[in-house]
Amino acid sequence: MSRPSDVERPRGHRGLQNEAENVSSAEAQIIQLHGPGREKPVNPPAEAEARSDEAERVLEAPVVNFPVVPAAAQERAPRPEDGELSSGVTNALRFLRHRLTGDYTVDEFGFDAELTDALVLPPLRALYEKWFRVSVHGVENLPADGGALLVSNHSGTLPLDALMTAVAVHDETPGHRHLRGLGADLVFKVPLVGSLARKSGQTLACNPDAERLLRQGELVGVWPEGFKGIGKPFASRYKLQRFGRGGFVSAALRTGVPIIPVSIVGAEEIYPKIGDIKLLARTLGLPYFPVTPFFPLLGPLGAIPLPTKWSIEFGEPIRTDTFDAGAEEDPMLVFNLTDQVRESIQQTLYQRLSQRHSVFRG
């Protein structure tokens, strides 16, 4: 039988021990990493040359100067926080803070200018700009300061024309002046409506209140046709009704303020009145209960005004400061001025109607 070779023979404990002694008896050899001839070149010629070429290419590359916005222009640039949403939130917070702290003013008539600007005008402005698309003419005839009496035609079944005129005066005048309207007794007897009317600057249609406002330098609005104007049938549209006894002229003469005729086209068609339920009107204490092609047939939907195109024109002022003191006691003078204002409004209405191509597009 043949014996296995030394290579194939398994090593025993003695063989491993001899091998370990041989390794331990050998001297350790130290290999120097940075010995002579092993120094790492600082700038190898090839690498230095590559870096030099790269630097030259960088120097030769064209320099692009980006436009720098001046600091003043940056200040004028619109920022997201300056948008309408942010402004609206800021105004709302300011309004709430003033309401909670009582830091707001109300005049002797109950007018709250801050509440009017924050709560009353925004929804009316939406109607003014988006629904009726009102175009305004003759804004330059409104005084920048001081009192004036604005006399307007009245129509539309509901007095939306008075509200749209108030928006036009506020938004179109440079000083954003408020129109102080003179309303009928019925307006102030309706719950909530009367209180809101007071807070938004309206007051009772009487000479003492009108004269006090005019002397304070306010713009005062009056609609002499009254319920006869807004309640007239659709067949009588744009035909001015009687202007009363000229009480507004007397107020203007006593205070010496100008009278500004105001002509409104478009309001007559928002609620075409084709009938009147008089029994129901007397029961509810109303001057009339209108019947239109859509109301009361369609219920609340019939109360939505038609989106007619409106035009409001402020005519040339009629001066009253050129008359002698006590001129308001002359009935003939009062009648003549009343008729002059009425004719001015009527002629402007006819002129505007002749230029209108469509009720809904203007």
Side-chain angles (χ1 to χ4, degrees):
M1 180 183 294
S2 61
R3 294 182 302 176
S5 63
D6 295 337
V7 177
E8 297 175 353
R9 185 187 306 162
R11 291 180 294 181
H13 176 73
R14 184 65 182 175
L16 292 175
Q17 183 177 3
N18 292 337
E19 198 172 300
E21 291 176 354
N22 293 335
V23 173
S24 60
S25 62
E27 294 181 358
Q29 184 178 5
I30 300 174
I31 300 176
Q32 297 182 1
L33 296 177
H34 301 288
R38 293 179 178 270
E39 298 86 350
K40 182 179 180 180
V42 179
N43 291 317
E47 184 178 353
E49 184 176 355
R51 291 182 179 178
S52 177
D53 294 342
E54 184 178 356
E56 290 179 359
R57 286 196 300 271
V58 171
L59 292 175
E60 293 176 357
V63 179
V64 179
N65 294 325
F66 290 96
V68 179
V69 180
Q74 292 180 358
E75 294 178 358
R76 293 192 302 268
R79 297 173 296 177
E81 60 269 23
D82 295 333
E84 293 183 1
L85 179 61
S86 177
S87 177
V89 172
T90 302
N91 293 336
L93 293 176
R94 185 185 300 112
F95 172 75
L96 291 176
R97 177 170 60 84
H98 290 172
R99 295 292 118 176
L100 294 175
T101 60
D103 184 19
Y104 61 93
T105 59
V106 178
D107 71 3
E108 57 181 317
F109 295 93
F111 175 48
D112 189 338
E114 186 181 47
L115 182 141
T116 301
D117 293 341
L119 297 182
V120 178
L121 286 178
L124 295 179
R125 187 175 293 117
L127 281 175
Y128 177 90
E129 295 178 350
K130 305 300 182 181
W131 195 253
F132 296 132
R133 297 149 291 141
V134 182
S135 60
V136 181
H137 312 272
V139 180
E140 64 279 0
N141 292 322
L142 296 175
D145 51 32
L149 184 64
L150 279 63
V151 183
S152 176
N153 62 309
H154 214 13
S155 62
T157 305
L158 290 180
L160 294 182
D161 52 358
L163 301 178
M164 295 300 102
T165 304
V167 177
V169 170
H170 180 272
D171 289 2
E172 305 296 339
T173 55
H176 299 294
R177 306 190 66 183
H178 291 94
L179 180 65
R180 311 296 297 272
L182 303 179
D185 299 355
L186 179 62
V187 175
F188 303 99
K189 292 179 180 179
V190 179
L192 298 180
V193 174
S195 177
L196 185 60
R198 285 283 184 186
K199 292 182 180 297
S200 61
Q202 319 307 311
T203 190
L204 191 62
C206 62
N207 273 20
D209 284 358
E211 292 172 17
R212 286 164 61 193
L213 287 169
L214 291 171
R215 288 194 177 96
Q216 293 174 8
E218 300 285 353
L219 295 179
V220 178
V222 62
W223 294 263
E225 292 177 281
F227 291 118
K228 300 188 303 294
I230 58 175
K232 62 178 176 286
F234 187 66
S236 300
R237 59 190 180 278
Y238 298 113
K239 296 177 182 178
L240 294 183
Q241 305 300 300
R242 185 171 175 268
F243 265 27
R245 293 173 293 181
F248 67 91
V249 172
S250 299
L253 287 170
R254 285 191 181 94
T255 55
V257 300
I259 299 175
I260 300 177
V262 182
S263 306
I264 303 175
V265 171
E268 296 275 12
E269 295 89 359
I270 59 173
Y271 295 114
K273 183 185 172 186
I274 58 177
D276 184 5
I277 306 178
K278 296 182 179 181
L279 178 60
L280 187 56
R282 284 195 299 269
T283 303
L284 297 176
L286 300 175
Y288 53 85
F289 191 91
V291 176
T292 72
F294 309 104
F295 181 84
L297 181 62
L298 299 182
L301 290 178
I304 300 175
L306 296 178
T308 59
K309 178 72 171 63
W310 284 35
S311 171
I312 299 179
E313 180 169 347
F314 300 102
E316 294 185 4
I318 300 173
R319 296 182 58 181
T320 62
D321 57 351
T322 57
F323 298 98
D324 298 332
E328 69 277 1
E329 302 297 335
D330 185 352
M332 187 57 66
L333 175 63
V334 172
F335 175 81
N336 289 337
L337 286 176
T338 302
D339 191 59
Q340 180 182 351
V341 174
R342 186 180 181 278
E343 284 301 315
S344 175
I345 297 173
Q346 185 68 81
Q347 293 302 319
T348 304
L349 289 176
Y350 287 151
Q351 182 180 2
R352 285 288 166 190
L353 289 171
S354 65
Q355 299 172 355
R356 185 171 68 165
H357 301 288
S358 170
V359 172
F360 300 101
R361 291 181 297 175

